[in-house]
Structure formats: C-alpha cells, structure tokens
Amino acid sequence: MTEIAISSTTLPVGSKGRDASGWWGMLALVATEATLFAYLLFSYFYLASHSPPPWPPNGAPSLTLAIPGSLVLIAGSVTMWWGERGIERGRRWQLVAGLLLSLLLGIAFIVLEGIEWAGKPYTLSSSVYSSLYFTITGFHLAHVLVGLLILAVLLLWTSFDYFDENRHSAVSIGVIYWHFVTVVWLAVFFTFYIAPRLG
C-alpha cells in the first residue's frame, strides 16, 4: 500500500490572477450588475426628460451628506487597494489593516446613506422621482452590504493565514467587486446630485 505524504502546513497555490476561474466569474457578475445599473440610470434620465419641470420635484438633493459619503467610499477603495498590494508583497498585516479600514468605511457609508434617507421629505411611493431615488440608491446599498460581507469573509480567511504573496486570488477577486461598488456609486452620485445642478 502506497502512502502519500501531504504537508498540513501549506496549501496548494492554485491558479492566480487572470488564470483564476473566480476572476472571470467576478468580471461576469460585475458586467451583469453594471447592466442592471445602466438600465436603472437610463430610466432616470428618460423619465426626467419626459416629466414637467421642475426636476427633481423638490430641487436637487443636498450635497451635505452625499459628498462625505462619496469620499468615504472612495477612501474604502483606496484602503482595499493598499491592503491587496500588501499581501502581494507578503505583508499580511497590511491586508488585515486594509480590510478593517475598508469595512469601517463601508459601514460609515451605510450610516450616512441611512441618515440621508431618513431626512428625505418624500417616500418610495411619493412620486416618480422618489421611486427612482430610493430604488437606485437602495440597489446600490444592497451591493455595498454584499461587498461588506465579502470583505468580512476575506478578513476571516486572512486571520486563518490563508493568504500570502503566492496565494491571494480571492483577495484580488474581492477587490474587483469593491471597486465596482465605488464606481457605481460615482455614477449614481453624478445622476442624482450633480446632473440636476447642470440644468
């Protein structure tokens, strides 16, 4: 009987970067979700062009919370990028710090968005505009929550020492999603907060 010795201290490296099946799967998911947001934003501009003025009915939404929220989400992408660069160089502590900072910044974004929602003088069913606002920002918030779940799982796996400079495809795949969430928010931010101010 032949015995096979398997080291219990190291995991196989597996495929990396663009060779990883998860990388292509995440790109397919991002493309699908980007299409969903493109349709939603198209609906906003289409209905805006066919609605009697003023649009938005209550004027352009305040930038008081939207700008800090946008900066927080962008900062979360930067810290996640920084954490990924750390593990690529074998610095596990840098990945842990990047994941923790990104998680905290993502939670801060959700809190800011929740405060903004609570302060709106309209509800989901008040008008076409309010329906579009809560639907589109709500879909984005759902994606942020999924992103936070991904970051939390990556942080858990990092605590189990699953990643090093040779084995970190899951981190790179998670980063793709988190950057996607940030880019989508910039499109939503432009649509609701900047476009109405451009006339």
Side-chain angles (χ1 to χ4, degrees):
M1 181 177 223
T2 306
E3 293 184 7
I4 300 173
I6 299 175
S7 171
S8 61
T9 58
T10 60
L11 293 172
V13 171
S15 55
K16 293 172 58 177
R18 294 183 181 183
D19 292 330
S21 57
W23 194 85
W24 290 103
M26 182 56 75
L27 287 185
L29 174 69
V30 163
T32 303
E33 297 301 299
T35 303
L36 168 69
F37 278 103
Y39 283 128
L40 288 170
L41 295 177
F42 172 80
S43 299
Y44 172 89
F45 286 110
Y46 177 81
L47 292 168
S49 69
H50 287 78
S51 296
W55 183 271
N58 297 319
S62 170
L63 295 170
T64 306
L65 293 173
I67 288 178
S70 300
L71 293 175
V72 159
L73 209 54
I74 291 167
S77 264
V78 170
T79 55
M80 199 57 247
W81 169 84
W82 175 73
E84 180 189 17
R85 291 298 164 270
I87 198 63
E88 287 173 353
R89 291 166 176 78
R91 297 193 292 260
R92 187 171 157 270
W93 66 267
Q94 189 172 328
L95 175 59
V96 170
L99 286 165
L100 278 172
L101 287 169
S102 298
L103 271 167
L104 292 173
L105 290 165
I107 291 168
F109 175 82
I110 289 174
V111 169
L112 288 170
E113 192 67 14
I115 293 169
E116 180 156 3
W117 274 20
K120 292 297 180 198
Y122 44 79
T123 65
L124 177 66
S125 58
S126 297
S127 67
V128 170
Y129 173 83
S130 66
S131 193
L132 287 165
Y133 175 83
F134 285 113
T135 299
I136 294 172
T137 58
F139 267 115
H140 180 262
L141 272 179
H143 283 75
V144 172
L145 288 170
V146 170
L148 290 177
L149 179 62
I150 290 170
L151 296 184
V153 169
L154 289 174
L155 185 59
L156 178 66
W157 288 349
T158 304
S159 70
F160 292 149
D161 206 22
Y162 282 4
F163 306 123
D164 57 31
E165 63 272 17
N166 295 315
R167 187 178 58 250
H168 56 266
S169 290
V171 174
S172 299
I173 292 164
V175 169
I176 291 171
Y177 185 84
W178 194 247
H179 290 334
F180 165 71
V181 166
T182 302
V183 169
V184 166
W185 172 252
L186 294 176
V188 172
F189 175 78
F190 176 82
T191 299
F192 284 100
Y193 297 90
I194 303 302
R197 289 176 163 81
L198 300 178

